[in-house]
DNA sequence: TATTGTTATACTCTATAACTATA
DNA sequence: TATAGTTATAGAGTATAACAATA
């Protein structure tokens, strides 16, 4: 495997070629072995509520990068399945707070572990140097995208101000 | 940014944390700036037919990692939008061959370019070493997943044989 | 007026199952 | 019998638009 991508354009081409199949694989494996009936967005929403108990719907939407309405629908399904609970916010009556139910907490832990094992199994033959390269690469990538997103949001806010 | 992931489990955790947001970002940007109305699976199917003119539906399904029925539906939509064309296979009458229409070819080129530019813009502040690390990391990751998938398919075939 | 959230509508993705036609 | 493909069905993701309630 030889890769040479020293310009943003070249690197972008490689990223666009490699990320979608990997993502699809993760999603498929998760559904099949990890958490049947738990989709990737649901999984991520659950994880977010786990890390931020009492989070608002807007916070979830922000984290997932989706609209409020989409987040509302996803939350709906998680509530219907008994995995999270809505509750009124103590002071701000527009808001709701989201928390995991015991069932949601358990399912999340199981799903997390099962999926991680599946992904780890895919990486089993690699050397620790290769694993390190992967971890550094995807982290750099993620950071770059987060940074760019943040700039865009600042721009958007500037637009509003202007 | 400090990452240490020298075991498959650690690396898997990093991958699961970083890939979904990146994927979502690519998808969103593509829809917004690159090819409005062209979804990621449609985009990938189009790209595959471009690289393999006359490909069968099974080949598309294989490449996308989806079932035949899903591939059939996706092809349906691309045909309906005038981006690809179905034609009978010359010798095997069960098969169909898929080719890009001129409109499909044009749209693909435009979408590819626009999306690559958007992704490249995200990576703009990085050094060439960092870009190289990203490219190597995601390529390693993709190869590992492809390799694991191939093994699984061999197993599946063995199952059939046994 | 701006923000939080819900709901309706209308797409797409996706798998499973049942089916036809061909090899 | 096995393979290529279609179609129906059903559930999930997703955005836009219209709406209610609150700040």
């Amino acid at each position: 495997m030889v890769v040479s991508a020293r310009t943003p354009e070249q690197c972008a081409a490689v990223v666009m070629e490699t990320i979608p199949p990997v993502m699809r694989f993760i999603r498929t494996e998760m559904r099949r072995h990890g958490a049947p009936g738990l989709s990737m967005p649901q999984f991520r929403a659950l994880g977010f509520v786990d890390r931020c108990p009492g989070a608002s719907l807007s916070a979830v939407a922000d984290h997932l990068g989706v609209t409020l309405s989409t987040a509302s629908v996803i939350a709906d399904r998680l509530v219907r399945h008994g995995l999270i609970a809505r509750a009124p916010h103590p002071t701000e009556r527009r808001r709701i707070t989201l928390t995991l139910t015991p069932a949601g907490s358990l399912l999340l832990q199981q799903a997390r572990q099962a999926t991680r094992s599946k992904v780890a199994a895919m990486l089993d033959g690699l050397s620790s140097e290769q694993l390190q390269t992967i971890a550094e690469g995807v982290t750099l990538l993620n950071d770059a995208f987060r940074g760019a997103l943040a700039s865009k949001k600042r721009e958007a806010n500037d637009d509003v101000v202007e």
Side-chain angles (χ1 to χ4, degrees), chain A residues 4-103:
Chain A
S4 179
R6 301 198 155 259
T7 72
E9 284 277 337
Q10 290 169 345
C11 191
V14 174
V15 167
M16 285 171 58
E17 190 69 19
T18 55
I19 294 299
V22 171
M23 183 62 206
R24 174 175 311 278
F25 188 87
I26 293 176
R27 206 183 299 130
T28 301
E29 282 302 312
M30 217 192 81
R31 242 188 288 246
R32 206 160 61 192
H33 300 101
L38 195 61
S39 75
M40 208 62 203
Q42 287 174 349
F43 181 71
R44 291 186 63 214
L46 225 48
F48 179 72
V49 174
D50 183 45
R51 285 194 300 277
C52 308
S56 70
L57 200 58
S58 297
V60 173
D62 240 41
H63 176 73
L64 295 184
V66 299
T67 61
L68 250 179
S69 84
T70 296
S72 183
V73 171
I74 291 173
D76 251 9
R77 285 170 186 145
L78 290 173
V79 168
R80 206 187 317 142
H81 288 104
L83 302 177
I84 66 173
R86 284 192 187 91
H89 190 279
T91 62
E92 293 256 338
R93 285 174 50 193
R94 288 182 298 186
R95 298 198 175 198
I96 61 174
T97 63
L98 299 174
T99 51
L100 293 189
T101 64

